[in-house]
Amino acid sequence: MLLGLDSDPQQSISGFSPTSGPVGQVITVTGSGFTGSNAAWIGSAHDAGIKVISDTEAQITVPADAVSGQIALLNPKHAAFSPNSFSLTSNSCLLGLLHLGCGSSSSSSSSSSGSSSGGHSGSSSSSSSGGSGSSSSSSGGGSAALSIRVLGKSFINAAGQAVQLRGVNFSGFESVAIQGWDPSDPSGAQGGQANGPSWTAIKAWKANVVRLPLNEASWLDYSCTDTNGVVHNPDPGSNYKSAVETQVAEANAAGLYVILDLHWTAPGNTCPMLQTQMADADHSLAFWTSIANTFKNNPAVLFELFNEPFFDFDFSGNSWSYMMSGSGGSFSGYPATSNSGNWQNIAQSWAVASYQQMLNAVRATGAANVVLVGTMQYSQDLSSWLSYRPTDSLNQMAAVWHAYPTSGYSWENPCTDSNQYCTPNFSPQILSEVQGILAAGIPVIATETGDQNSSGTVGSPLVSTVTQFADAYGVSVLGWAWDVWQNADNVLVTNVGGTPTAGYGQFYQNWMVNHAP
């Protein structure tokens, strides 16, 4: 075949001028391979304005959230970092901007280090821009040293290094508030501790990311009705947003990236109290607009647009097209329930918020955060993901995979020819599909996986397969769930201190800890 020029060449930065300046300063960068560069960083700020003058010269503009640090130029395949750092001058702080580059203290009150009011280890920064290792504010500002971005098939950190995200799910925020279990604590102490998990315990497992499933009604705080006709206040403690923001700030302070996941949704005035087929046009776009506005200045936060789509219930048409773009299909009903378990099929048509629509809503706010796009059959079927995937002008998108056991098989004798529990659902093609997405230059992240953890269980045949595959191909993995439930499957810990469950918990802890750092 004919060999041509790479449309996305590897850049090289030889220098830049001036070497210091305030917000708004235009910096001239010199080097090579700049043609096709479409993004620029200054330190952990990933939203610098960029103008490519030629293949050897570009101009970037210091953004409002800039901090001192290396300059980077990026294209869809490559990144280049300057040999020296740009210094943000102090007069930018006269603008009243809250960022760590100003090097000053709290905007209104001092930060606290150590235990928060909920007893977490780490730093609390709900009203502070200072503090050792804390994020700049609970309203979405992130630590200067913690950011995540997509470059080709990899996630990369602020230093441009490829990162395999390895972590856990903390469940509670999707269910506790909407069901009114504990108005004072929307987390429900599901991790064995009030107001969320122990970040010290999670970090002891060498995690670098945590996923928080959310409820759209609780975040948006609109009244809803369950299938018993009971009207619910989905934020009974008037603290849902602030609690989520605090969890994000504390996780970031502990050195963890955070995935915010739209987990429970429901059309109309129905209470989202279980998993429905897909995000809904009634509320989900407003949810993501609000979430993006809250966290768009925090590059350590990723947005998982919807948890687990399924289209084998009350649906007609092209499921892939409807899920990804909102066209070519329709729903005639959806499931709903109540606190008493009164499950019903609500027989009325409703419109989805497609992945493309939700992604567009995020980008319309100016948010450049990484977005995670799920897939068919509870995010276990990636067969047509590449063909129907949404488009992202920023190329900050990754594919979501939920790696659970093959449907219908049990744990006993898990890897015999007649019992393929040890391979993920839709194997073997799912493994080829993951590799195909990676080959197309898009990261894949398994935001959920799990295995048996009942007392006396030894080993983790499914998750051992998943993690071995993930390590071989650079796939990121999060285990479900860091909660102290007494379930026989998919539970990682037995107490707030992070003691692993038998089987799955012990194996997953070993896998995490054996990665350095």
Side-chain angles (χ1 to χ4, degrees), residues 24 28 44 111-112 265 286 319 321 358 360 364 380 427 443 499:
T28 299
S44 63
S111 67
S112 60
T265 62
S319 56
S321 176
M358 289 186 286
N360 291 347
Q380 296 180 91
S427 288
T499 301

Side-chain angles (χ1 to χ4, degrees), residues 408-421:
Y409 291 115
S410 63
W411 195 86
E412 289 74 19
N413 301 315
C415 296
T416 63
D417 290 340
S418 61
N419 187 347
Q420 291 302 304
Y421 173 97

Side-chain angles (χ1 to χ4, degrees), residues 237-407:
S238 300
N239 55 2
Y240 189 86
K241 277 189 177 182
S242 62
V244 172
E245 291 170 9
T246 297
Q247 294 296 299
V248 172
E250 290 184 354
N252 288 166
L256 294 160
Y257 303 107
V258 177
I259 297 171
L260 297 178
D261 153 51
L262 179 53
H263 209 77
W264 280 6
T265 62
N269 70 341
T270 299
C271 286
M273 301 176 78
L274 47 66
Q275 173 78 55
T276 49
Q277 300 101 309
M278 184 57 188
D280 60 276
D282 294 332
H283 311 294
S284 302
L285 299 179
F287 171 89
W288 280 116
T289 297
S290 178
I291 288 282
N293 275 319
T294 302
F295 295 100
K296 64 184 178 182
N297 293 322
N298 187 340
V301 175
L302 304 87
F303 301 151
E304 185 169 347
L305 299 178
F306 186 71
N307 176 42
E308 291 184 344
F310 59 98
F311 281 70
D312 54 357
F313 185 89
D314 288 343
F315 178 77
S316 59
N318 183 327
S319 56
W320 283 97
S321 176
Y322 198 51
M323 176 180 68
M324 291 297 192
S325 66
S327 63
S330 63
F331 278 110
S332 59
Y334 58 92
T337 192
S338 67
N339 278 355
S340 65
N342 181 22
W343 187 96
Q344 292 184 19
N345 179 14
I346 309 299
Q348 63 184 51
S349 61
W350 59 285
V352 300
S354 69
Y355 277 115
Q356 186 68 69
Q357 290 169 312
M358 289 186 286
L359 193 157
N360 291 347
V362 168
R363 296 292 179 245
T365 69
N369 303 64
V370 173
V371 295
L372 307 179
V373 176
T375 189
M376 201 64 65
Q377 210 54 30
Y378 303 94
S379 286
Q380 296 180 91
D381 173 8
L382 289 162
S383 58
S384 295
W385 193 95
L386 274 176
S387 299
Y388 286 93
R389 70 187 186 274
T391 58
D392 180 16
S393 60
L394 301 182
N395 294 315
Q396 294 302 300
M397 178 176 69
V400 168
W401 174 34
H402 285 186
Y404 284 110
T406 302
S407 301

Side-chain angles (χ1 to χ4, degrees), residues 34-83:
F34 293 170
T35 300
S37 296
N38 59 359
W41 297 358
I42 300 177
S44 63
H46 294 176
D47 54 349
I50 179 173
K51 180 180 180 181
V52 176
I53 306 301
S54 68
D55 196 58
T56 60
E57 181 180 339
Q59 293 179 340
I60 65 174
T61 303
V62 179
D65 59 341
V67 296
S68 297
Q70 287 177 287
I71 288 174
L73 293 181
L74 302 92
N75 62 37
K77 293 183 180 178
H78 305 290
F81 290 81
S82 61

